[in-house]
């Protein structure tokens, strides 16, 4: 969260994004709806809330993949988080396969109680 909140972490691009170092990995937080527009406090707040719950969100994706992997080769379910996309009402986590060439999104929506629910993955 410290790197995310540090203004110098913002890349100078359109649309804007943050690039965070988490351990040996770099993860980006994209704001695709802000092309040629500045980020708003609401954008930053939503991204912060999502990052605070990333483990829970990722666990939901892992649970779904575990159910789907029972009849398939496990290598099809080895993946890592590539980047986040933050929109007004949803956050998506894009995953990249580590053994199979694949890229896909898990889309989450924040409930009134602050929890994040997997809508599509």
């Amino acid at each position: 969260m410290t790197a995310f909140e540090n203004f110098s972490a913002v890349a100078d691009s359109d649309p804007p994004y943050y690039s965070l170092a988490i351990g040996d990995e770099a993860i980006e937080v994209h704001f695709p709806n802000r092309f040629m527009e500045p980020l708003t406090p609401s954008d930053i707040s939503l991204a912060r809330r999502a990052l605070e719950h990333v483990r829970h969100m990722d666990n939901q994706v892992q649970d779904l993949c575990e159910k789907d992997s029972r009849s398939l080769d496990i290598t099809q379910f080895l993946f890592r988080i590539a980047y986040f996309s933050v929109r007004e009402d949803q956050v998506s986590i894009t995953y990249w396969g580590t053994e199979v060439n694949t890229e896909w999104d898990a889309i989450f929506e924040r409930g009134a109680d602050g929890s994040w629910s997997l809508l599509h993955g």
Side-chain angles (χ1 to χ4, degrees), residues 25-27 58 78-83 93-98:
E25 299 288 330
I27 295 179
D58 186 55
L78 300 176
F79 47 83
R80 72 175 197 80
I81 295 174
Y83 58 90
I93 301 176
T94 299
Y95 288 90
W96 288 337
T98 59

Side-chain angles (χ1 to χ4, degrees), residues 8-48:
S8 65
V10 177
D12 185 21
S13 70
D14 279 318
Y17 70 94
Y18 283 73
S19 182
L20 311 171
I22 300 176
D24 295 337
E25 299 288 330
I27 295 179
E28 295 178 352
V29 180
H30 294 238
F31 298 87
N33 292 352
R34 294 293 175 237
F35 185 74
M36 303 295 287
E37 296 177 22
L39 294 176
T40 67
S42 178
D43 294 327
I44 302 301
S45 178
L46 182 61
R48 183 182 299 116

Side-chain angles (χ1 to χ4, degrees), residues 72-102:
L72 300 170
D73 183 0
I74 190 66
T75 60
Q76 295 184 38
F77 295 92
L78 300 176
F79 47 83
R80 72 175 197 80
I81 295 174
Y83 58 90
F84 289 79
S85 294
V86 178
R87 293 175 177 82
E88 282 81 8
D89 58 346
Q90 295 179 341
V91 170
S92 65
I93 301 176
T94 299
Y95 288 90
W96 288 337
T98 59
E99 300 295 320
V100 176
N101 184 13
T102 186

